Amino acid sequence: MRDDLIQTNLEARVIMREQDEDFFIETFSYPLNFELNLPYMSRIQFPASRAVLIRTTPVSKWVTIHVLRDVDLFSSFANFELDLTDKKILLQKEEGYIRLVLQELK
C-alpha cells in the first residue's frame, strides 16, 4: 500500500500493472461521499458503490479514481483524476457511508 498517497481503514488489494499499482478497495455498497473544500460545493455523493479503484504510477503524482458498481473496471460509473502533490487520499468507513477526502500534507 502506498502510505504516502493513501490512508484507509478498509482493506486494499494491490494489483500490479508493469510499474504502476492499482488499489482495489471494496466499499460494500455504502454511499461514497467525496468531500470537497470548495466555497461553492461541499461534496459529491456516489450512492451504492461496490468498490473504488485507485490507479497510481511512479512517474506522476496524479491518480485516477474509479467508482465501481461491481468488482471489475468495466463497471465504473464515475472516474476522475486528482493531483496528489502535497496531498494524500483519506478513504474512511464511517457510520453508514464511506468518506473520501484530500488531506493537505504539512
Side-chain angles (χ1 to χ4, degrees):
M1 175 67 116
R2 297 275 315 266
D3 292 334
D4 60 320
L5 299 179
I6 305 164
Q7 180 180 331
T8 185
N9 62 357
L10 296 163
E11 184 177 331
R13 190 176 83 219
V14 179
I15 302 165
M16 298 301 297
R17 294 179 305 110
E18 297 178 13
Q19 66 194 19
D20 300 340
E21 288 180 309
D22 291 351
F23 299 94
F24 179 85
I25 304 167
E26 198 158 348
T27 57
F28 307 104
S29 297
Y30 283 104
L32 175 66
N33 291 338
F34 179 22
E35 296 178 7
L36 304 167
N37 189 17
L38 302 172
Y40 51 86
M41 185 183 295
S42 65
R43 70 180 166 102
I44 300 172
Q45 184 178 73
F46 303 99
S49 65
R50 171 75 188 274
V52 171
L53 183 74
I54 303 173
R55 301 197 107 167
T56 69
T57 180
V59 298
S60 172
K61 282 291 204 168
W62 283 87
V63 299
T64 304
I65 310 287
H66 292 272
V67 183
L68 309 175
R69 287 197 198 283
D70 208 347
V71 295
D72 61 69
L73 187 58
F74 295 111
S75 71
S76 177
F77 66 94
N79 68 73
F80 48 93
E81 293 182 334
L82 298 173
D83 180 4
L84 296 184
T85 303
D86 300 324
K87 296 174 197 65
K88 76 182 331 182
I89 296 170
L90 296 179
L91 188 66
Q92 303 291 319
K93 182 178 183 304
E94 304 289 346
E95 186 66 36
Y97 67 99
I98 306 293
R99 181 176 181 240
L100 174 63
V101 179
L102 282 181
Q103 179 184 48
E104 295 283 335
L105 298 177
K106 298 176 182 184

